Amino acid sequence: MVKKIMTGNIAAAWGARLSRAEVIAAYPITPQTIIVEKLAQFVSDGELKAEYLHVESEHSAMAACIAASQTGARTFTATSSQGLVLMHELLHWASGARAPIVMANVNRALAPPWSVWVEHTDMMSQRDTGWIQFYAESNQEVLDTTIMCYKLCEDKDIQLPAMIGLDAFYLSHTSEIVDIPDQEKVDKFLPKFEPAYPLDVENPLSIGSLSMPHQWYPEFRYKIQEAMERVIPKLNKIEEEFYKEFGRKYTGPLELYNTEDAEVVLIISGAATGTVKETVDILRKKGIKVGVIRLRMFRPFPSDYLVKALSKISFIGVIDRSFSFGHEGAIYSEIKASLYGLNAPLIKNFIVGMGGRDITTDTITKIYENCFSCLKNNKIDIPVEWIDIKV
Amino acid sequence: MKRAGIPTEEFIYSGHTACPGCGALLVARYLLKVLGKNTIMNIPACCFAAIPGTFPDTCLGIPLLYNAFETTAATASGVEAALKIKGKKEKINVVGFAGDGGTADIGIQALSGAIERGHEIIYVCYDNEAYMNTGMQTSSLTPKGATTTTNPLGKKGGWRTRNKKNMMDIVAAHDIPYAATVNPSYPMDFVKKIEKAKNTKGTSYIHAYSVCPTGWRYQPELGLELGRLATETGLFPLYEFENGRYIINYKKKTKEVLEYYKLQGRFRHLSEDFIKEVQEYIDKEWQKLLVKEECSNR
Ligand SMILES: Cc1ncc(C[n+]2csc(CCOP(=O)(O)OP(=O)(O)O)c2C)c(N)n1
Ligand code: SF4
Ligand SMILES: [Mg+2]
């Protein structure tokens, strides 16, 4: 084990390297570029034995990864924003093909207007593509989750792709101390990729052919959902094994921070969780009972876990760094749906930090204050409120 | 085993769903005869995606990987890269098998990328000159004068007014190691070229003439005759582009375009003047090809 100071981008590249990705197909986009540059460096230095494809678009990157995965190679790619949404058709294809691709996505806003700064709309808008979705809070988590994702995705019971979101600049370009696990230990933790149905000239199969309505299409779809339902239990086991091997504990789909006796809990995902935790510490010192839940995973959506975690909470504020136009924040929608029919507490949606606008402890303090005032009046003032908006 | 220079082994068995007289099937048949068992084929959305059968059936004796419409070359790149890292590429042919729409229109970016990267793949475009799977819409390889469902005849005459894109020149401009046109009406020439593609280090591109009785509107039994006419008129010249040199394989340009056009329903509306215009264009293109051959072999 070596400790190094590195950015989230470098951590993602290390995750792929330690996992011994065999085929990497990627296309550059700010702020992801350093991931693909670092991987190219690893390959050209002979530190990673992989085929590196300089594809001509993200669309082809994903197509090549799918095909390489179906041929039996462990594959990795990285993208962001416009690149991710360009892949959209093939994201559906990857899960339909049951290709356990692991992808780092640097969460960035979508144009126009151009913005290279953090927002989660890129990944949130891919929620129905059949990919497992993680949102990281730290660079260490980016590296560790990459390794764990291969083990999760390649499991015979899962066989689905996963994307790991890391916030533009806050993680992608910010340096932190990161433990780089020993290669031998990773090799022990992560077995070789053995696809269930690889392309094989000795056993010629026709993969992905037409299926009529009376044949097998619905069954293929149903099986994707069955696999999704196995993801969280499997993740819990993998995290336990990871803890035993590497000594770092992850807490499944949620991370709870001071929620036990909290009156008001905010729910958030991504790197801004750090700011919320800090605000919680400040407010707790003043005796104010606040907590935060970090959503590490958005697909599969951990409804049961949230319901349990929220059972004693009086007020929930959901922070979305993305928006579904004509409706509300995506996390907010999901949480309301999860609580439907239960004795639900008051719940309000805050749209914050779009296009990388800074989220400060002041922002979060104001949000907590607003929650308490709603709680006091037993009434939500504005159900979906955009924060720090100049118009 | 070979008979008259053509391997006797078959990799397309009974049970396919192509229309009677489908050229795509014939192209695939000759292709696989040469490439043999150790071949992986990538197929995008196109007529051929429906031909081998529905899941879990297949009438092909080799592994097939279906891919999204515009991704054939990128998919083949991925298969090739995976085989390489696994140390299996040496003995396996990776084939992308796409229609004219999947090649010259929506898939041209991926094709350009794959050739530029130099993947060891054989990319075959079976050119039936329109989007047939979706019901005969115009592609950029639909010939001048043809009607399609998106170039309907109409009261004002809505046939296609542009000439076909020259895919051979496009791939040649990539400095591709090997490219060739093939026509199932000339099976020995066809087989020889696939043999070359198989032995090419790097990407090879095969542009295959592929008759379509359903879309072109002619009697299915005329397919092979149409194929011969296509080459003898110079509409579909047989040539190669190998290591920077053009080589014309068949130089008997003896027939008039009219002979070819008059056999097909898609050209039935054309006036003799219009066909004369096409004839002039084809004659010029033929001259250009002769010059390309001459200059590149100097
Ligand atoms: C992204 C996308 N756009 C459109 C289609 C619909 N589509 C399927 S096959 C096809 C036409 C294929 O034409 P071509 O490549 O010439 O092959 P052919 O059917 O003529 O053999 C089209 C437009 C699709 N499957 N995917
Ligand atoms: S429509 Fe044309 S290309 Fe398609 S299967 Fe029928 S004959 Fe073949
Ligand atoms: Mg076509």
PDB file of all heavy atoms in Angstrom, chain A residues 5-34:
ATOM      1  N   ILE A   5      -0.677  11.714  -3.164  1.00  0.00           N
ATOM      2  CA  ILE A   5      -1.628  12.806  -3.338  1.00  0.00           C
ATOM      3  C   ILE A   5      -2.068  12.789  -4.791  1.00  0.00           C
ATOM      4  O   ILE A   5      -1.221  12.820  -5.688  1.00  0.00           O
ATOM      5  CB  ILE A   5      -0.978  14.159  -2.974  1.00  0.00           C
ATOM      6  CG1 ILE A   5      -0.699  14.177  -1.467  1.00  0.00           C
ATOM      7  CG2 ILE A   5      -1.877  15.326  -3.360  1.00  0.00           C
ATOM      8  CD1 ILE A   5      -0.048  15.432  -0.968  1.00  0.00           C
ATOM      9  N   MET A   6      -3.341  12.677  -5.005  1.00  0.00           N
ATOM     10  CA  MET A   6      -3.811  12.611  -6.393  1.00  0.00           C
ATOM     11  C   MET A   6      -5.215  13.181  -6.552  1.00  0.00           C
ATOM     12  O   MET A   6      -5.982  13.258  -5.603  1.00  0.00           O
ATOM     13  CB  MET A   6      -3.758  11.170  -6.911  1.00  0.00           C
ATOM     14  CG  MET A   6      -4.676  10.212  -6.213  1.00  0.00           C
ATOM     15  SD  MET A   6      -4.733   8.613  -7.057  1.00  0.00           S
ATOM     16  CE  MET A   6      -3.154   7.912  -6.594  1.00  0.00           C
ATOM     17  N   THR A   7      -5.515  13.552  -7.791  1.00  0.00           N
ATOM     18  CA  THR A   7      -6.855  14.057  -8.108  1.00  0.00           C
ATOM     19  C   THR A   7      -7.807  12.875  -8.332  1.00  0.00           C
ATOM     20  O   THR A   7      -7.366  11.726  -8.479  1.00  0.00           O
ATOM     21  CB  THR A   7      -6.822  14.877  -9.408  1.00  0.00           C
ATOM     22  OG1 THR A   7      -6.405  14.017 -10.471  1.00  0.00           O
ATOM     23  CG2 THR A   7      -5.886  16.075  -9.308  1.00  0.00           C
ATOM     24  N   GLY A   8      -9.089  13.199  -8.427  1.00  0.00           N
ATOM     25  CA  GLY A   8     -10.089  12.166  -8.693  1.00  0.00           C
ATOM     26  C   GLY A   8      -9.863  11.508 -10.039  1.00  0.00           C
ATOM     27  O   GLY A   8     -10.091  10.306 -10.208  1.00  0.00           O
ATOM     28  N   ASN A   9      -9.416  12.296 -11.012  1.00  0.00           N
ATOM     29  CA  ASN A   9      -9.149  11.725 -12.332  1.00  0.00           C
ATOM     30  C   ASN A   9      -8.043  10.680 -12.265  1.00  0.00           C
ATOM     31  O   ASN A   9      -8.143   9.602 -12.856  1.00  0.00           O
ATOM     32  CB  ASN A   9      -8.743  12.834 -13.313  1.00  0.00           C
ATOM     33  CG  ASN A   9      -9.957  13.568 -13.874  1.00  0.00           C
ATOM     34  OD1 ASN A   9     -11.077  13.080 -13.776  1.00  0.00           O
ATOM     35  ND2 ASN A   9      -9.733  14.730 -14.464  1.00  0.00           N
ATOM     36  N   ILE A  10      -6.985  11.007 -11.559  1.00  0.00           N
ATOM     37  CA  ILE A  10      -5.876  10.051 -11.442  1.00  0.00           C
ATOM     38  C   ILE A  10      -6.333   8.824 -10.661  1.00  0.00           C
ATOM     39  O   ILE A  10      -5.976   7.688 -10.993  1.00  0.00           O
ATOM     40  CB  ILE A  10      -4.650  10.717 -10.751  1.00  0.00           C
ATOM     41  CG1 ILE A  10      -4.204  11.971 -11.517  1.00  0.00           C
ATOM     42  CG2 ILE A  10      -3.511   9.725 -10.572  1.00  0.00           C
ATOM     43  CD1 ILE A  10      -3.484  11.725 -12.803  1.00  0.00           C
ATOM     44  N   ALA A  11      -7.165   9.050  -9.661  1.00  0.00           N
ATOM     45  CA  ALA A  11      -7.678   7.923  -8.869  1.00  0.00           C
ATOM     46  C   ALA A  11      -8.503   6.982  -9.753  1.00  0.00           C
ATOM     47  O   ALA A  11      -8.417   5.756  -9.625  1.00  0.00           O
ATOM     48  CB  ALA A  11      -8.520   8.437  -7.703  1.00  0.00           C
ATOM     49  N   ALA A  12      -9.291   7.555 -10.663  1.00  0.00           N
ATOM     50  CA  ALA A  12     -10.090   6.725 -11.569  1.00  0.00           C
ATOM     51  C   ALA A  12      -9.173   5.893 -12.457  1.00  0.00           C
ATOM     52  O   ALA A  12      -9.396   4.695 -12.668  1.00  0.00           O
ATOM     53  CB  ALA A  12     -11.002   7.599 -12.417  1.00  0.00           C
ATOM     54  N   ALA A  13      -8.116   6.532 -12.967  1.00  0.00           N
ATOM     55  CA  ALA A  13      -7.171   5.808 -13.824  1.00  0.00           C
ATOM     56  C   ALA A  13      -6.483   4.691 -13.040  1.00  0.00           C
ATOM     57  O   ALA A  13      -6.298   3.579 -13.558  1.00  0.00           O
ATOM     58  CB  ALA A  13      -6.140   6.778 -14.396  1.00  0.00           C
ATOM     59  N   TRP A  14      -6.125   4.971 -11.801  1.00  0.00           N
ATOM     60  CA  TRP A  14      -5.516   3.935 -10.963  1.00  0.00           C
ATOM     61  C   TRP A  14      -6.486   2.785 -10.700  1.00  0.00           C
ATOM     62  O   TRP A  14      -6.097   1.616 -10.677  1.00  0.00           O
ATOM     63  CB  TRP A  14      -5.030   4.533  -9.630  1.00  0.00           C
ATOM     64  CG  TRP A  14      -3.592   4.949  -9.708  1.00  0.00           C
ATOM     65  CD1 TRP A  14      -3.109   6.205  -9.900  1.00  0.00           C
ATOM     66  CD2 TRP A  14      -2.451   4.084  -9.615  1.00  0.00           C
ATOM     67  NE1 TRP A  14      -1.741   6.193  -9.940  1.00  0.00           N
ATOM     68  CE2 TRP A  14      -1.299   4.906  -9.761  1.00  0.00           C
ATOM     69  CE3 TRP A  14      -2.276   2.712  -9.426  1.00  0.00           C
ATOM     70  CZ2 TRP A  14      -0.008   4.389  -9.726  1.00  0.00           C
ATOM     71  CZ3 TRP A  14      -0.972   2.196  -9.385  1.00  0.00           C
ATOM     72  CH2 TRP A  14       0.140   3.037  -9.540  1.00  0.00           C
ATOM     73  N   GLY A  15      -7.747   3.130 -10.527  1.00  0.00           N
ATOM     74  CA  GLY A  15      -8.763   2.091 -10.322  1.00  0.00           C
ATOM     75  C   GLY A  15      -8.792   1.131 -11.497  1.00  0.00           C
ATOM     76  O   GLY A  15      -8.820  -0.092 -11.334  1.00  0.00           O
ATOM     77  N   ALA A  16      -8.755   1.691 -12.716  1.00  0.00           N
ATOM     78  CA  ALA A  16      -8.776   0.856 -13.922  1.00  0.00           C
ATOM     79  C   ALA A  16      -7.480   0.063 -14.046  1.00  0.00           C
ATOM     80  O   ALA A  16      -7.479  -1.109 -14.430  1.00  0.00           O
ATOM     81  CB  ALA A  16      -8.986   1.728 -15.151  1.00  0.00           C
ATOM     82  N   ARG A  17      -6.381   0.706 -13.705  1.00  0.00           N
ATOM     83  CA  ARG A  17      -5.085   0.022 -13.815  1.00  0.00           C
ATOM     84  C   ARG A  17      -4.994  -1.147 -12.841  1.00  0.00           C
ATOM     85  O   ARG A  17      -4.610  -2.261 -13.219  1.00  0.00           O
ATOM     86  CB  ARG A  17      -3.960   1.035 -13.530  1.00  0.00           C
ATOM     87  CG  ARG A  17      -2.613   0.371 -13.360  1.00  0.00           C
ATOM     88  CD  ARG A  17      -1.500   1.363 -13.138  1.00  0.00           C
ATOM     89  NE  ARG A  17      -0.366   0.706 -12.525  1.00  0.00           N
ATOM     90  CZ  ARG A  17       0.828   1.253 -12.393  1.00  0.00           C
ATOM     91  NH1 ARG A  17       1.045   2.485 -12.841  1.00  0.00           N
ATOM     92  NH2 ARG A  17       1.804   0.606 -11.823  1.00  0.00           N
ATOM     93  N   LEU A  18      -5.360  -0.889 -11.589  1.00  0.00           N
ATOM     94  CA  LEU A  18      -5.271  -1.966 -10.591  1.00  0.00           C
ATOM     95  C   LEU A  18      -6.242  -3.103 -10.915  1.00  0.00           C
ATOM     96  O   LEU A  18      -5.984  -4.256 -10.572  1.00  0.00           O
ATOM     97  CB  LEU A  18      -5.553  -1.406  -9.194  1.00  0.00           C
ATOM     98  CG  LEU A  18      -4.452  -0.517  -8.623  1.00  0.00           C
ATOM     99  CD1 LEU A  18      -4.962   0.253  -7.412  1.00  0.00           C
ATOM    100  CD2 LEU A  18      -3.210  -1.335  -8.259  1.00  0.00           C
ATOM    101  N   SER A  19      -7.347  -2.759 -11.570  1.00  0.00           N
ATOM    102  CA  SER A  19      -8.315  -3.796 -11.955  1.00  0.00           C
ATOM    103  C   SER A  19      -7.876  -4.531 -13.215  1.00  0.00           C
ATOM    104  O   SER A  19      -8.552  -5.442 -13.673  1.00  0.00           O
ATOM    105  CB  SER A  19      -9.697  -3.176 -12.186  1.00  0.00           C
ATOM    106  OG  SER A  19     -10.104  -2.448 -11.057  1.00  0.00           O
ATOM    107  N   ARG A  20      -6.773  -4.125 -13.775  1.00  0.00           N
ATOM    108  CA  ARG A  20      -6.223  -4.725 -14.995  1.00  0.00           C
ATOM    109  C   ARG A  20      -7.228  -4.701 -16.147  1.00  0.00           C
ATOM    110  O   ARG A  20      -7.539  -5.741 -16.747  1.00  0.00           O
ATOM    111  CB  ARG A  20      -5.754  -6.162 -14.747  1.00  0.00           C
ATOM    112  CG  ARG A  20      -4.611  -6.277 -13.742  1.00  0.00           C
ATOM    113  CD  ARG A  20      -4.068  -7.701 -13.757  1.00  0.00           C
ATOM    114  NE  ARG A  20      -3.119  -7.957 -12.680  1.00  0.00           N
ATOM    115  CZ  ARG A  20      -1.818  -7.635 -12.721  1.00  0.00           C
ATOM    116  NH1 ARG A  20      -1.316  -7.008 -13.766  1.00  0.00           N
ATOM    117  NH2 ARG A  20      -1.023  -7.934 -11.711  1.00  0.00           N
ATOM    118  N   ALA A  21      -7.759  -3.510 -16.422  1.00  0.00           N
ATOM    119  CA  ALA A  21      -8.632  -3.340 -17.592  1.00  0.00           C
ATOM    120  C   ALA A  21      -7.845  -3.752 -18.827  1.00  0.00           C
ATOM    121  O   ALA A  21      -6.672  -3.400 -18.972  1.00  0.00           O
ATOM    122  CB  ALA A  21      -9.085  -1.898 -17.700  1.00  0.00           C
ATOM    123  N   GLU A  22      -8.470  -4.512 -19.715  1.00  0.00           N
ATOM    124  CA  GLU A  22      -7.755  -5.062 -20.874  1.00  0.00           C
ATOM    125  C   GLU A  22      -8.001  -4.289 -22.161  1.00  0.00           C
ATOM    126  O   GLU A  22      -7.151  -4.251 -23.049  1.00  0.00           O
ATOM    127  CB  GLU A  22      -8.159  -6.524 -21.083  1.00  0.00           C
ATOM    128  CG  GLU A  22      -7.714  -7.422 -19.953  1.00  0.00           C
ATOM    129  CD  GLU A  22      -8.355  -8.791 -20.037  1.00  0.00           C
ATOM    130  OE1 GLU A  22      -9.602  -8.863 -20.013  1.00  0.00           O
ATOM    131  OE2 GLU A  22      -7.619  -9.787 -20.115  1.00  0.00           O
ATOM    132  N   VAL A  23      -9.208  -3.736 -22.288  1.00  0.00           N
ATOM    133  CA  VAL A  23      -9.495  -2.890 -23.449  1.00  0.00           C
ATOM    134  C   VAL A  23     -10.030  -1.561 -22.935  1.00  0.00           C
ATOM    135  O   VAL A  23     -10.978  -1.520 -22.142  1.00  0.00           O
ATOM    136  CB  VAL A  23     -10.503  -3.552 -24.419  1.00  0.00           C
ATOM    137  CG1 VAL A  23     -10.906  -2.570 -25.525  1.00  0.00           C
ATOM    138  CG2 VAL A  23      -9.908  -4.814 -25.040  1.00  0.00           C
ATOM    139  N   ILE A  24      -9.382  -0.482 -23.370  1.00  0.00           N
ATOM    140  CA  ILE A  24      -9.812   0.860 -22.996  1.00  0.00           C
ATOM    141  C   ILE A  24     -10.100   1.602 -24.288  1.00  0.00           C
ATOM    142  O   ILE A  24      -9.236   1.684 -25.170  1.00  0.00           O
ATOM    143  CB  ILE A  24      -8.695   1.586 -22.208  1.00  0.00           C
ATOM    144  CG1 ILE A  24      -8.420   0.845 -20.887  1.00  0.00           C
ATOM    145  CG2 ILE A  24      -9.072   3.047 -21.947  1.00  0.00           C
ATOM    146  CD1 ILE A  24      -7.082   1.179 -20.275  1.00  0.00           C
ATOM    147  N   ALA A  25     -11.321   2.084 -24.429  1.00  0.00           N
ATOM    148  CA  ALA A  25     -11.664   2.881 -25.603  1.00  0.00           C
ATOM    149  C   ALA A  25     -12.249   4.175 -25.070  1.00  0.00           C
ATOM    150  O   ALA A  25     -13.225   4.139 -24.323  1.00  0.00           O
ATOM    151  CB  ALA A  25     -12.672   2.153 -26.472  1.00  0.00           C
ATOM    152  N   ALA A  26     -11.640   5.294 -25.408  1.00  0.00           N
ATOM    153  CA  ALA A  26     -12.122   6.539 -24.797  1.00  0.00           C
ATOM    154  C   ALA A  26     -11.842   7.736 -25.685  1.00  0.00           C
ATOM    155  O   ALA A  26     -10.988   7.698 -26.575  1.00  0.00           O
ATOM    156  CB  ALA A  26     -11.483   6.720 -23.432  1.00  0.00           C
ATOM    157  N   TYR A  27     -12.577   8.775 -25.404  1.00  0.00           N
ATOM    158  CA  TYR A  27     -12.513  10.010 -26.178  1.00  0.00           C
ATOM    159  C   TYR A  27     -12.409  11.161 -25.181  1.00  0.00           C
ATOM    160  O   TYR A  27     -13.096  11.155 -24.168  1.00  0.00           O
ATOM    161  CB  TYR A  27     -13.797  10.141 -26.999  1.00  0.00           C
ATOM    162  CG  TYR A  27     -13.756  11.187 -28.070  1.00  0.00           C
ATOM    163  CD1 TYR A  27     -13.119  10.947 -29.281  1.00  0.00           C
ATOM    164  CD2 TYR A  27     -14.345  12.434 -27.858  1.00  0.00           C
ATOM    165  CE1 TYR A  27     -13.082  11.914 -30.259  1.00  0.00           C
ATOM    166  CE2 TYR A  27     -14.307  13.403 -28.847  1.00  0.00           C
ATOM    167  CZ  TYR A  27     -13.674  13.141 -30.047  1.00  0.00           C
ATOM    168  OH  TYR A  27     -13.633  14.088 -31.021  1.00  0.00           O
ATOM    169  N   PRO A  28     -11.550  12.152 -25.452  1.00  0.00           N
ATOM    170  CA  PRO A  28     -11.338  13.183 -24.427  1.00  0.00           C
ATOM    171  C   PRO A  28     -12.459  14.222 -24.330  1.00  0.00           C
ATOM    172  O   PRO A  28     -13.057  14.583 -25.342  1.00  0.00           O
ATOM    173  CB  PRO A  28     -10.046  13.861 -24.891  1.00  0.00           C
ATOM    174  CG  PRO A  28      -9.964  13.590 -26.356  1.00  0.00           C
ATOM    175  CD  PRO A  28     -10.668  12.296 -26.612  1.00  0.00           C
ATOM    176  N   ILE A  29     -12.719  14.665 -23.123  1.00  0.00           N
ATOM    177  CA  ILE A  29     -13.642  15.783 -22.874  1.00  0.00           C
ATOM    178  C   ILE A  29     -13.281  16.391 -21.515  1.00  0.00           C
ATOM    179  O   ILE A  29     -13.021  15.656 -20.562  1.00  0.00           O
ATOM    180  CB  ILE A  29     -15.127  15.327 -22.921  1.00  0.00           C
ATOM    181  CG1 ILE A  29     -16.080  16.500 -22.603  1.00  0.00           C
ATOM    182  CG2 ILE A  29     -15.412  14.159 -21.983  1.00  0.00           C
ATOM    183  CD1 ILE A  29     -17.544  16.236 -22.916  1.00  0.00           C
ATOM    184  N   THR A  30     -13.248  17.693 -21.460  1.00  0.00           N
ATOM    185  CA  THR A  30     -13.033  18.366 -20.168  1.00  0.00           C
ATOM    186  C   THR A  30     -14.221  18.061 -19.265  1.00  0.00           C
ATOM    187  O   THR A  30     -15.352  18.107 -19.748  1.00  0.00           O
ATOM    188  CB  THR A  30     -12.965  19.899 -20.389  1.00  0.00           C
ATOM    189  OG1 THR A  30     -11.941  20.151 -21.335  1.00  0.00           O
ATOM    190  CG2 THR A  30     -12.703  20.650 -19.101  1.00  0.00           C
ATOM    191  N   PRO A  31     -14.014  17.776 -18.020  1.00  0.00           N
ATOM    192  CA  PRO A  31     -12.786  17.649 -17.231  1.00  0.00           C
ATOM    193  C   PRO A  31     -12.317  16.199 -17.040  1.00  0.00           C
ATOM    194  O   PRO A  31     -11.642  15.917 -16.070  1.00  0.00           O
ATOM    195  CB  PRO A  31     -13.208  18.245 -15.882  1.00  0.00           C
ATOM    196  CG  PRO A  31     -14.697  18.416 -15.932  1.00  0.00           C
ATOM    197  CD  PRO A  31     -15.208  17.787 -17.166  1.00  0.00           C
ATOM    198  N   GLN A  32     -12.644  15.327 -17.997  1.00  0.00           N
ATOM    199  CA  GLN A  32     -12.278  13.916 -17.866  1.00  0.00           C
ATOM    200  C   GLN A  32     -10.915  13.623 -18.458  1.00  0.00           C
ATOM    201  O   GLN A  32     -10.306  12.603 -18.161  1.00  0.00           O
ATOM    202  CB  GLN A  32     -13.375  13.070 -18.556  1.00  0.00           C
ATOM    203  CG  GLN A  32     -12.982  11.726 -19.127  1.00  0.00           C
ATOM    204  CD  GLN A  32     -12.565  11.812 -20.589  1.00  0.00           C
ATOM    205  OE1 GLN A  32     -11.987  12.809 -21.023  1.00  0.00           O
ATOM    206  NE2 GLN A  32     -12.847  10.787 -21.352  1.00  0.00           N
ATOM    207  N   THR A  33     -10.389  14.525 -19.314  1.00  0.00           N
ATOM    208  CA  THR A  33      -9.218  14.225 -20.148  1.00  0.00           C
ATOM    209  C   THR A  33      -8.070  13.539 -19.412  1.00  0.00           C
ATOM    210  O   THR A  33      -7.431  12.644 -19.961  1.00  0.00           O
ATOM    211  CB  THR A  33      -8.658  15.508 -20.787  1.00  0.00           C
ATOM    212  OG1 THR A  33      -8.722  16.544 -19.818  1.00  0.00           O
ATOM    213  CG2 THR A  33      -9.460  15.914 -21.987  1.00  0.00           C
ATOM    214  N   ILE A  34      -7.849  13.970 -18.177  1.00  0.00           N
ATOM    215  CA  ILE A  34      -6.677  13.449 -17.463  1.00  0.00           C
ATOM    216  C   ILE A  34      -6.809  11.940 -17.208  1.00  0.00           C
ATOM    217  O   ILE A  34      -5.813  11.222 -17.182  1.00  0.00           O
ATOM    218  CB  ILE A  34      -6.448  14.261 -16.173  1.00  0.00           C
ATOM    219  CG1 ILE A  34      -6.026  15.684 -16.593  1.00  0.00           C
ATOM    220  CG2 ILE A  34      -5.384  13.637 -15.282  1.00  0.00           C
ATOM    221  CD1 ILE A  34      -6.276  16.737 -15.572  1.00  0.00           C
TER     222      ILE A  34
END
